[in-house]
Amino acid sequence: MGDNSERVLLGEIGAAQGLKGEVRLRSYTATPADIAAYGPLEDESGATSIEIERARVTPQALIVRIKGVSTREAAEALTGTKLYVPRTRLPEHGTDEWYVADLIGLEAVGKDGTVLGSVVAVHNFGASDIVEVAPASGGENLLVAFTDETVPEVAIENGRWTLVPPRVLEDEPDNGGEE
């Protein structure tokens, strides 16, 4: 299981928006504006409580007003702040759903049970989730699309998941474009 089992990362504050203290917010919740429904959030240290007063979705970003922040300068001071919530405030999830925090640290094994590495991050750049795996043999991390084909089984209770890595393109024979 991941190292941070008590708190879960829900978002990150981006750039200031306008002059009256609003900020852009990158929300990791299924519906971005729902981040405001979790109540007060905490910064990475847990020392600062951050409460979202209002959130609005625009075509470019989620824009939020944070309680006590009323100037651009105060908003700029929060840029890059990661927002966490205690795990106890999260709703239960379905059988084929996981929190990203639960995936970090899982062992990635092949279909034959061979340890391939471990999950170090889950990214989403807009199209779909990408899992970053640190190979057990060392070397550069592998980025794999998180699909049913590449990750056919996730067993959080066993601390592992099955990974079917993509074939390396250089190793595939050149068939002149024919299938």
Side-chain angles (χ1 to χ4, degrees), residues 51-79:
E51 189 173 337
I52 297 173
E53 286 186 335
R54 183 177 63 236
R56 61 186 164 91
V57 178
T58 70
Q60 291 82 28
L62 175 64
I63 309 298
V64 301
R65 174 167 303 283
I66 296 172
K67 186 175 184 177
V69 176
S70 59
T71 66
R72 182 173 183 87
E73 292 75 20
E76 287 172 342
L78 294 172
T79 300

Side-chain angles (χ1 to χ4, degrees), residues 86-157:
R87 179 178 282 280
T88 56
R89 276 202 247 147
L90 296 175
E92 291 297 318
H93 48 71
T95 55
D96 285 341
E97 297 177 325
W98 307 274
Y99 290 118
V100 170
D102 295 334
L103 300 174
I104 307 302
L106 290 183
E107 204 172 51
V109 298
K111 282 188 172 185
D112 63 357
T114 304
V115 176
L116 302 173
S118 62
V119 178
V120 294
V122 178
H123 307 283
N124 189 309
F125 302 108
S128 65
D129 289 326
I130 305 291
V131 179
E132 185 174 350
V133 177
S137 59
E140 288 189 33
N141 289 357
L142 177 66
L143 298 176
V144 181
F146 194 174
T147 66
D148 290 338
E149 291 76 33
T150 57
V151 184
E153 180 184 11
V154 176
I156 290 175
E157 63 282 354

